[in-house]
Amino acid sequence: GVKASVAARPIRQVDMSPAQSIAGLNVLCVDDEQIILDGMHALLGHWGCHVHTAQTIEEAWAIFEREPIQVVIADYQLKQDETGLDMLARMMGSVPDIGVSLLTAEATSDVFERASDRGIRVLRKPADPDDIRQFLYEHVGGQISHAAE
């Protein structure tokens, strides 16, 4: 009976080759809490991503300039002069096709609005791994579809 219930699940397009599509993705995670970074490192590493982590905006920029980062997931509140939102907006300015997502516990309408105005995806903290994976697939899928044309 187990097989039947699995087959009955609606197949979303992202399920085609889960490990393959996001494996090898260069992801930068920025959060001032090391425990969050450790969790993201374990999660994304498990999916085969190359994970880079930074606790400050300065560290994040150093990695961003040195590595071929494709996706950045940043906390909104980094306890610095600049928010994660400002940093992501600047990164998008220098690498237009980068995938960016803002993780925040303070998902106020103001933050949502400012993020969506810039085309930045907002994920609530604590983030659901499925949501993070879906975001990564969409980024990779978007790039793949462009290449296919």
Side-chain angles (χ1 to χ4, degrees), residues 20-22 25 71 135-145:
Q20 238 176 338
S21 52
I22 56 175
L25 203 60
V71 175
F135 159 68
L136 294 174
Y137 276 129
E138 283 168 17
H139 178 66
V140 172
Q143 287 193 321
I144 290 167
S145 62

Side-chain angles (χ1 to χ4, degrees), residues 87-118:
M87 181 194 73
L88 291 175
R90 281 203 296 147
M91 287 178 170
M92 289 168 85
S94 79
V95 180
D97 65 349
I98 197 161
V100 295
S101 176
L102 190 68
L103 275 182
T104 180
E106 312 151 62
T108 61
S109 55
D110 174 52
V111 171
F112 266 111
E113 227 164 271
R114 283 168 48 215
S116 64
D117 281 351
R118 295 180 167 92

Side-chain angles (χ1 to χ4, degrees), residues 33-43 53:
E33 293 177 68
Q34 187 62 48
I35 191 162
I36 303 274
L37 293 177
D38 291 344
M40 292 294 279
H41 198 286
L43 181 69
T53 60

Side-chain angles (χ1 to χ4, degrees), residues 46-60:
H46 177 68
W47 295 333
C49 299
H50 297 297
V51 192
H52 304 271
T53 60
Q55 279 187 285
T56 66
I57 289 172
E58 199 177 357
E59 272 177 59

Side-chain angles (χ1 to χ4, degrees), residues 1 3-5 7 18 23 44 56 64 75 88 94 109 128 135 141 146:
K3 277 189 186 142
S5 66
L44 298 171
T56 66
F64 184 72
D75 186 26
L88 291 175
S94 79
S109 55
D128 182 325
F135 159 68
H146 291 315

